[in-house]
Amino acid sequence: MATDSHSELRPASLVIHGGQAPEVTTGAVMPPIFQTSTYVQPALGEPHGEYDYARVANPTRERLEASFQILEGGEDGIAFASGMAAIEAVLLLLSAGDHVICEDNVYGGTQRLFRQVFEKFGIAFEFVDTRDPDRVAAALTPKTKLVFVETPTNPMMRITPIAAIAELAHGVGALLCVDNTFASPINQRPIDLGADIVVHSTTKYLNGHSDVIGGAAITRTVDLGERLRFIRKCSGAVPGPWDCWLCLRGIKTLHIRIERHNQNGGAIAEYLQARSDIEDVHYPGLPSHPQHELARSQMMGFGGMVSFELGSPARARTFSEATRIFQLAESLGGVESLVGVPAIMTHASVPEDKRAELGVTEGLVRLSVGIEAIEDLVEDLDRAFSML
Ligand SMILES: *Cc1c(COP(=O)(O)O)cnc(C)c1O
């Protein structure tokens, strides 16, 4: 019982029990916070089991990692100090001369890391619209070692066909890494669809309470997990035990939160689509989304992220400053609703011509729909629209 990982449970139970056994010393139902940097050695050169130094191993962190691994259905889960640290570790698997294909519309910070940090170490990046497998096939070379996608994307909600891209990547011996931050493992499990690595900014839905920065990488194989653990041990981007404990606490309610995010996100998308003063609404759960059928085939729900085009920077500014419940802030995935203008906030580091190409205009508003009462959220949006 104490070592049972409960991996057979349904998702709503898995978030609570997956990989979690009572603590051995006291039977504590919740894991202790092992707030220590080092561990005593019983004799010279003989650490206590696997614990000698906390950059390498910490029991609170291991609890969180067991949860990541089971929720995504991988062989290993590794916790990082941030989502960017997890993505950095994946890139550190590569060598100079390697070629990477990256979805065109990935998170702005990911593009910045690739273009401004890794390119100078001799890794070549090609940014491609991965919605279309033919474009990915055309970009693959014998040097391609990694295909990196995010689906749905931020903020245009583009969908990449994970299974098709996994097959193409594997055809040239490349790995497929999926940033699953927007969907969460409740709405999408990329490893089941063929991905080799899943990364998360746990700062968002997994922790869910906007009070921790964290990241995760989950691997299809034990070997990939070991390689990422080695990188983390060497480079040191570890989360502290307190942050791990908070994230694990957040995950207990992940399923019930995502259920409500899905409901509220869908309701807000329909509300927006019904208005005549909006140009486009981007939400994969809407039948009008150009990839709705694909989204339905690889996702279990469509989440709380919605973006829409107000047509001008002035209207976007007025709107995003007029809401009272939707707070003007970066980030997403918390219980509270947020509003933002990606071109000026999260995507400010993306070059202007690139933004224009993607449709990330200064009139595009993004909502992270929280789990509040839907009536309050709709009333808040009504009020903001009345100010335009
Ligand atoms: C926020 C975010 C990241 C970066 O994560 P941090 O925890 O902020 O380092 C990466 N990918 C996506 C999709 C994100 O939303």
Side-chain angles (χ1 to χ4, degrees), residues 85-86 93 102 110 145 150 167 203 249 302 323 341 380:
L93 293 168
C102 180
T110 303
K145 292 292 179 308
E150 191 180 307
E167 208 179 309
T203 312
R249 179 190 233 248
F302 307 110
T323 52
V341 178
D380 195 38

PDB file of all heavy atoms in Angstrom, residues 85-86 93 102 110 145 150 167 203 249 302 323 341 380:
ATOM      1  N   ALA A  85      13.344  27.095 -17.204  1.00  0.00           N
ATOM      2  CA  ALA A  85      14.457  26.212 -16.812  1.00  0.00           C
ATOM      3  C   ALA A  85      14.234  24.802 -17.351  1.00  0.00           C
ATOM      4  O   ALA A  85      15.182  24.121 -17.759  1.00  0.00           O
ATOM      5  CB  ALA A  85      14.606  26.188 -15.292  1.00  0.00           C
ATOM      6  N   ALA A  86      12.962  24.355 -17.386  1.00  0.00           N
ATOM      7  CA  ALA A  86      12.655  23.023 -17.927  1.00  0.00           C
ATOM      8  C   ALA A  86      12.961  22.993 -19.427  1.00  0.00           C
ATOM      9  O   ALA A  86      13.575  22.052 -19.946  1.00  0.00           O
ATOM     10  CB  ALA A  86      11.187  22.669 -17.674  1.00  0.00           C
ATOM     11  N   LEU A  93      20.127  19.053 -24.018  1.00  0.00           N
ATOM     12  CA  LEU A  93      20.352  17.691 -24.529  1.00  0.00           C
ATOM     13  C   LEU A  93      21.075  17.736 -25.871  1.00  0.00           C
ATOM     14  O   LEU A  93      21.628  16.730 -26.324  1.00  0.00           O
ATOM     15  CB  LEU A  93      19.010  16.965 -24.740  1.00  0.00           C
ATOM     16  CG  LEU A  93      18.168  16.615 -23.512  1.00  0.00           C
ATOM     17  CD1 LEU A  93      16.771  16.189 -23.948  1.00  0.00           C
ATOM     18  CD2 LEU A  93      18.836  15.494 -22.705  1.00  0.00           C
ATOM     19  N   CYS A 102      10.937  24.526 -34.587  1.00  0.00           N
ATOM     20  CA  CYS A 102      10.114  25.041 -33.495  1.00  0.00           C
ATOM     21  C   CYS A 102       8.843  25.649 -34.056  1.00  0.00           C
ATOM     22  O   CYS A 102       8.885  26.372 -35.056  1.00  0.00           O
ATOM     23  CB  CYS A 102      10.905  26.106 -32.729  1.00  0.00           C
ATOM     24  SG  CYS A 102       9.992  26.805 -31.355  1.00  0.00           S
ATOM     25  N   THR A 110      10.170  31.468 -24.884  1.00  0.00           N
ATOM     26  CA  THR A 110      10.809  30.312 -25.524  1.00  0.00           C
ATOM     27  C   THR A 110      11.560  30.765 -26.770  1.00  0.00           C
ATOM     28  O   THR A 110      12.713  30.387 -26.990  1.00  0.00           O
ATOM     29  CB  THR A 110       9.735  29.259 -25.875  1.00  0.00           C
ATOM     30  OG1 THR A 110       9.051  28.901 -24.678  1.00  0.00           O
ATOM     31  CG2 THR A 110      10.344  28.027 -26.494  1.00  0.00           C
ATOM     32  N   LYS A 145      17.393  17.350 -34.578  1.00  0.00           N
ATOM     33  CA  LYS A 145      17.432  16.483 -33.400  1.00  0.00           C
ATOM     34  C   LYS A 145      16.232  16.713 -32.489  1.00  0.00           C
ATOM     35  O   LYS A 145      15.973  15.911 -31.587  1.00  0.00           O
ATOM     36  CB  LYS A 145      18.723  16.733 -32.606  1.00  0.00           C
ATOM     37  CG  LYS A 145      19.976  16.273 -33.341  1.00  0.00           C
ATOM     38  CD  LYS A 145      19.980  14.751 -33.449  1.00  0.00           C
ATOM     39  CE  LYS A 145      21.170  14.160 -34.173  1.00  0.00           C
ATOM     40  NZ  LYS A 145      21.490  14.654 -35.467  1.00  0.00           N
ATOM     41  N   GLU A 150       4.100  23.747 -29.202  1.00  0.00           N
ATOM     42  CA  GLU A 150       3.237  24.140 -28.090  1.00  0.00           C
ATOM     43  C   GLU A 150       1.834  24.051 -28.668  1.00  0.00           C
ATOM     44  O   GLU A 150       1.597  24.559 -29.762  1.00  0.00           O
ATOM     45  CB  GLU A 150       3.591  25.592 -27.750  1.00  0.00           C
ATOM     46  CG  GLU A 150       3.035  26.146 -26.481  1.00  0.00           C
ATOM     47  CD  GLU A 150       3.510  27.602 -26.319  1.00  0.00           C
ATOM     48  OE1 GLU A 150       4.725  27.876 -26.397  1.00  0.00           O
ATOM     49  OE2 GLU A 150       2.648  28.461 -26.142  1.00  0.00           O
ATOM     50  N   GLU A 167       5.382  11.268 -35.503  1.00  0.00           N
ATOM     51  CA  GLU A 167       5.792  10.281 -36.496  1.00  0.00           C
ATOM     52  C   GLU A 167       6.869  10.855 -37.430  1.00  0.00           C
ATOM     53  O   GLU A 167       7.865  10.188 -37.729  1.00  0.00           O
ATOM     54  CB  GLU A 167       4.559   9.864 -37.305  1.00  0.00           C
ATOM     55  CG  GLU A 167       4.662   8.462 -37.844  1.00  0.00           C
ATOM     56  CD  GLU A 167       3.406   8.088 -38.624  1.00  0.00           C
ATOM     57  OE1 GLU A 167       2.284   8.265 -38.067  1.00  0.00           O
ATOM     58  OE2 GLU A 167       3.549   7.650 -39.778  1.00  0.00           O
ATOM     59  N   THR A 203       3.887  27.120 -13.126  1.00  0.00           N
ATOM     60  CA  THR A 203       3.428  28.436 -12.672  1.00  0.00           C
ATOM     61  C   THR A 203       1.948  28.647 -13.029  1.00  0.00           C
ATOM     62  O   THR A 203       1.245  29.392 -12.348  1.00  0.00           O
ATOM     63  CB  THR A 203       4.263  29.514 -13.418  1.00  0.00           C
ATOM     64  OG1 THR A 203       5.636  29.182 -13.334  1.00  0.00           O
ATOM     65  CG2 THR A 203       4.016  30.892 -12.869  1.00  0.00           C
ATOM     66  N   ARG A 249       0.229  20.756  -3.568  1.00  0.00           N
ATOM     67  CA  ARG A 249      -1.061  21.100  -2.968  1.00  0.00           C
ATOM     68  C   ARG A 249      -2.011  21.619  -4.048  1.00  0.00           C
ATOM     69  O   ARG A 249      -3.187  21.270  -4.084  1.00  0.00           O
ATOM     70  CB  ARG A 249      -0.841  22.179  -1.901  1.00  0.00           C
ATOM     71  CG  ARG A 249      -2.090  22.630  -1.228  1.00  0.00           C
ATOM     72  CD  ARG A 249      -1.758  23.844  -0.388  1.00  0.00           C
ATOM     73  NE  ARG A 249      -2.208  23.653   0.979  1.00  0.00           N
ATOM     74  CZ  ARG A 249      -3.206  24.358   1.522  1.00  0.00           C
ATOM     75  NH1 ARG A 249      -3.819  25.275   0.823  1.00  0.00           N
ATOM     76  NH2 ARG A 249      -3.568  24.136   2.758  1.00  0.00           N
ATOM     77  N   PHE A 302     -11.101  22.031 -23.480  1.00  0.00           N
ATOM     78  CA  PHE A 302     -10.483  23.114 -24.242  1.00  0.00           C
ATOM     79  C   PHE A 302      -9.955  24.255 -23.388  1.00  0.00           C
ATOM     80  O   PHE A 302      -9.445  25.241 -23.909  1.00  0.00           O
ATOM     81  CB  PHE A 302     -11.454  23.608 -25.314  1.00  0.00           C
ATOM     82  CG  PHE A 302     -11.960  22.490 -26.180  1.00  0.00           C
ATOM     83  CD1 PHE A 302     -13.275  22.059 -26.099  1.00  0.00           C
ATOM     84  CD2 PHE A 302     -11.095  21.817 -27.031  1.00  0.00           C
ATOM     85  CE1 PHE A 302     -13.726  20.996 -26.867  1.00  0.00           C
ATOM     86  CE2 PHE A 302     -11.532  20.755 -27.805  1.00  0.00           C
ATOM     87  CZ  PHE A 302     -12.847  20.342 -27.721  1.00  0.00           C
ATOM     88  N   THR A 323     -12.080  46.300 -17.147  1.00  0.00           N
ATOM     89  CA  THR A 323     -12.647  45.177 -16.399  1.00  0.00           C
ATOM     90  C   THR A 323     -12.261  45.304 -14.925  1.00  0.00           C
ATOM     91  O   THR A 323     -11.244  45.900 -14.586  1.00  0.00           O
ATOM     92  CB  THR A 323     -12.125  43.838 -16.951  1.00  0.00           C
ATOM     93  OG1 THR A 323     -10.707  43.899 -16.997  1.00  0.00           O
ATOM     94  CG2 THR A 323     -12.671  43.552 -18.345  1.00  0.00           C
ATOM     95  N   VAL A 341      -3.052  42.238 -23.126  1.00  0.00           N
ATOM     96  CA  VAL A 341      -2.883  42.510 -24.552  1.00  0.00           C
ATOM     97  C   VAL A 341      -1.513  41.941 -24.917  1.00  0.00           C
ATOM     98  O   VAL A 341      -0.479  42.566 -24.632  1.00  0.00           O
ATOM     99  CB  VAL A 341      -2.973  44.028 -24.840  1.00  0.00           C
ATOM    100  CG1 VAL A 341      -2.742  44.307 -26.319  1.00  0.00           C
ATOM    101  CG2 VAL A 341      -4.326  44.569 -24.394  1.00  0.00           C
ATOM    102  N   ASP A 380     -18.872  41.450 -15.949  1.00  0.00           N
ATOM    103  CA  ASP A 380     -17.656  42.250 -15.996  1.00  0.00           C
ATOM    104  C   ASP A 380     -17.290  42.580 -17.449  1.00  0.00           C
ATOM    105  O   ASP A 380     -16.932  43.718 -17.768  1.00  0.00           O
ATOM    106  CB  ASP A 380     -16.520  41.471 -15.317  1.00  0.00           C
ATOM    107  CG  ASP A 380     -15.318  42.345 -15.001  1.00  0.00           C
ATOM    108  OD1 ASP A 380     -15.517  43.514 -14.604  1.00  0.00           O
ATOM    109  OD2 ASP A 380     -14.181  41.853 -15.152  1.00  0.00           O
TER     110      ASP A 380
END
